[in-house]
Amino acid sequence: MQLTLWTYEGPPHVGAMRVATAMREVHYVLHAPQGDTYADLLFTMIERRQERPPVTYTTFQARDLGGDTAQLFKDAVKQAYDRFRPQAMLVGASCTAELIQDDPGGLAAALDLPVPVVPLELPAYQRKENWGAAETFYQLVRALVVKPGTRRERGALPRCNVLGPTALGFRHRDDLREITQLLGQLGIEINVVAPWQATPGDLARLADADFNVVLYPEVAQTAAAWLSRQLGQPFTTVIPIGARATEDFIQEVCGLAGVCGHAGADAEANANAAAAASAAPLLQLDAVRAASRSPWYARSVDANYLTGKRVFVFGDATHAIAAARVATQEFGFELVGLGSYSREFGRELRAAAAQYGLEALITDDYLEVEAALTAAAPELVLGTQMERHMAKRLGVPCAVISAPVHVQDFPARHAPQMGFEGANVLFDTWVHPLMMGLEEHLLGMFRGDFEFHADAMPSHLGHAARPIPVPVATPIAAQGAEGVPMATAPSASVPAGVPSARGTIEVTPRTAPWAADAEQELRKIPFFVRAKARRNTEAYARSRQLPLITLETLYDAKAHFSS
Amino acid sequence: MNPVIPIQTDRGCQEAPVLRERGQREVFCGLTGIIWLHRKMQDAFFLVVGSRTCAHLIQSAAGVMIFAEPRFATAILDERDLAGLADAQDELDRVVQRLLERRPDIRMLFLVGSCPSEVIKLDLSRAAARLSQRHAPRVRVLNYSGSGIETTFTQGEDACLAALVPSLPAQPPEAAGHAPELLVVGALADVVEDQFRRQFDAMGLQRVDFFPARSSTTLPAIGPQTRFLLAQPFLGDTARALEARGARHVPAPFPLGAEGSAAWLQAGAAAMGLDRDRTAEVIEPWRQRAGRALETHRLRLAGQRVFFFPDSQLEIPLARFLSRELGMQLVEVGTPYLHRSHLAEELALLPSGTALSEGQDVERQLDRCRAARPDLVVCGLGLANPLEAEGLTTKWSIELVFTPIHGFDQAADLAALFTRPLLRRQRLAA
């Protein structure tokens, strides 16, 4: 058993629903107990869809368990087919139905329906939502793709499929618009977009493309790899999140399409790429690049104060790795933590983290992430809805970069993460929660202000001053090793590493006490870097086995760590 | 009494045929009750023992909006737990230990059963007893089932309160000869609870308690002298558990609207031996004030046709309120479960011939709803936006459980919940 306060992903059948709901002319019959229809409101409320998800639930109850739940399932499949007449059906079980083992695939096959029926085996006690989506998409592609007898001849225009966007995906709608537009400007034809708005008939035509563009590996990697093996379609590996990654993506796509030779990357951004413009698409591309404001915004002097801001990144692997690159290379932040709940992409994540001299945090345990976040003491958190909970508790600015997200991150406006417009969105979104430059300077100079004090929220966010309790070092006698020491903390005291209330940013083991004047001086350091200063000073005192942290220790440590 | 309401000589809907349907049910499971119960009982913690689906459900239904340390969590079962039962009990002990260390402020812990834990027959009552012993006296550990296979939405509260009844203190024996005490049962909004307390007080009843209490340390005592008044219609098991401890049920309509609130307060007072005419006198000004507040809503709602999808068991009392006090016409009143004896008073007040349905086959019910084209559809969030997109006006039903709606002074607020979507449609159309 795992103690779970918040879960990063739903069960795998929710992933299957995301694929079914994204598509058209597909119906999903889910063997599930009464109540599992809650998943409908993820689509009707959070994504605000105008129609019910194409899902029929058997909603069995306790009294049905004594009877024939298999018959209940067969009836549900039959009725769903008669009512909705889909081109293809998915059948599967939820976690509870998995326990009663009615074999949805076999039962549905026995009905001998006149359309393809794809059985889904989604182990609910081992796997999670994204895996469920990937598996469902893969099974659909496998079942429906029609393999041509002869290898496809390249047409006049290069042609690709765009794979990955689903229902309930973080900004999938707008990313798709952005990337579709970009591909059009490169002179590349789009064959099929899937699963978004695709029909089973569309999936059958997947073979009629030269290569695949994979936007979300969490959903589409398995299917893309299969298409590559079976049909020889190569697929893209660069995720176009951030201005530089978008340039790399363009280069990769052009390579696969063979249209624009070695496409001209932005000469300023990428010096070694020669701009050998060959055709009209590139001229169009220059116009697109001109709309890319984020590189200039990040270079403008106003953004100077962003240099070295400590940022902690957590999300799905795709968004976390992309965000880490944008944060460090494009905005000049310092990365102090990188992690993901996507275990399937552990290798990619570890490789990415190693580039920044970090160890990747790969976990789906909210409490572990909280402990890591607390220990890293960042000035900005880029994460999911869950990291907003933690950041709020710790009083740290936060922006959302990845699912799981709530209704406010399915906005009405165009808000992509991908492409050049996506990079513009990232700049605005990530900088917004930080205190603006002038205010930060003034806070460093004058401290006693009743209104603009270091413990208040940034004033551009429009909140009244919110006093935050002064952090006090709480020495805890019995404390386990690093990691998650909760189990060893005495029940009477505050669990180690987890603040009892907003304010105590961190608790470090066996630390010398602070002298009053040193504590006083520490408070003069602006709130968002104070936790780091405290930690460094205490580490410094520990390494020298000082009995007391004095005012001088504070400055000794400052000099030590800045050298 | 409002003069427009025709006085009915028949017995309302008490013997009316009820359409019983089975099929796909678009309802929540009982785990959802945790969303409001964890706020009502502030020192209680709800630990669901279930799957990732259960965790995802509570989190999607409420959690993602709550940016704080929640007072609920899930112990997610994994393959190892499914392999052998003995191990699962040890695992549970470990999880509870970790939880109680993180939250030393917890005084009462509910182990909440789910579909997976019920299907694998994980014995949570034994676990609760063992853990109670281990963590006594600091924490009391109880268990109930909020699984979808056994409970529908608000029935989760019923199961929770029923589990709590055996641990209520007994009335001291010397009270045996004393005057009876009144117990109001069902989680009410704090403001409503305070109003009722004041109103009972004004009627001359001091010995009134509320269950559940706001803290586990102030649970009401119970015994043969207890008369209990249900504030919510979905408390069948709780009522049975209270009766098993000698308490007696006071039949009454539910305190929704001016009429319902008056009848409910009077029934409570009468059960405690107060004079009917005297209490009617005390109640009258409150009732009139509520009636005045309802007038503007009546102008908007009278004659409008309303359709209820099953959700919380509040549908029948709500339909009674909407039809009698606001003049709405009832197209169909669906309820997930119809407790005939607790709803007898309500059914008698419904206009005869009302189409009642119990259970659900959602596709067929949607067909009926579309065919009837009602002016207002009361339904869950899974159906609301799709029906709006089809041009129907909806009122999402969960809000009725999360809003103070009981009592005289909330009658107009309750009516406003139904006028708002109609008004909004009108405004946006203009």
Side-chain angles (χ1 to χ4, degrees), chain B residues 202-225:
Chain B
M203 290 157 71
L205 279 182
Q206 279 89 41
R207 298 162 68 81
V208 179
D209 258 322
F210 287 81
F211 178 59
R214 292 179 207 184
S215 149
S216 67
T217 51
T218 56
L219 290 174
I222 186 172
Q225 292 304 309

Side-chain angles (χ1 to χ4, degrees), chain B residues 53-69:
Chain B
T53 312
C54 308
H56 197 232
L57 157 83
I58 319 183
Q59 165 170 327
S60 330
V64 200
M65 300 174 227
I66 302 171
F67 282 89
E69 182 80 353

Side-chain angles (χ1 to χ4, degrees), chain B residues 35 126 143 163 217 226 241 256 266 271 286-287 303 317 349 382 402 418:
Chain B
I35 294 165
R126 198 161 62 94
N143 94 288
T217 51
T226 307
L256 299 174
Q266 276 191 306
W286 305 331
R287 184 187 171 121
L349 293 172
F402 293 159
F418 296 94

Side-chain angles (χ1 to χ4, degrees), chain B residues 275-352:
Chain B
D275 178 55
R276 247 182 198 284
D277 296 342
R278 167 82 189 96
T279 52
E281 225 170 87
V282 179
I283 285 173
E284 195 50 30
W286 305 331
R287 184 187 171 121
Q288 280 181 6
R289 183 168 65 187
R292 281 195 302 277
L294 282 174
E295 269 163 31
T296 52
H297 296 291
R298 190 180 167 82
L299 289 176
R300 288 232 166 76
L301 293 176
Q304 304 271 1
R305 299 163 66 248
V306 61
F307 190 109
F308 281 89
F309 278 82
D311 191 50
S312 61
Q313 298 185 44
L314 279 163
E315 294 82 7
I316 286 173
L318 288 170
R320 179 263 301 161
F321 165 66
L322 292 179
S323 81
R324 290 175 63 94
E325 296 188 52
L326 297 162
M328 291 188 87
Q329 289 178 33
L330 308 176
V331 179
E332 177 174 332
V333 183
T335 179
Y337 178 70
L338 181 61
H339 195 299
R340 282 211 171 259
S341 67
H342 285 175
L343 282 164
E345 319 270 320
E346 290 286 352
L347 289 171
L349 293 172
L350 274 187
S352 58

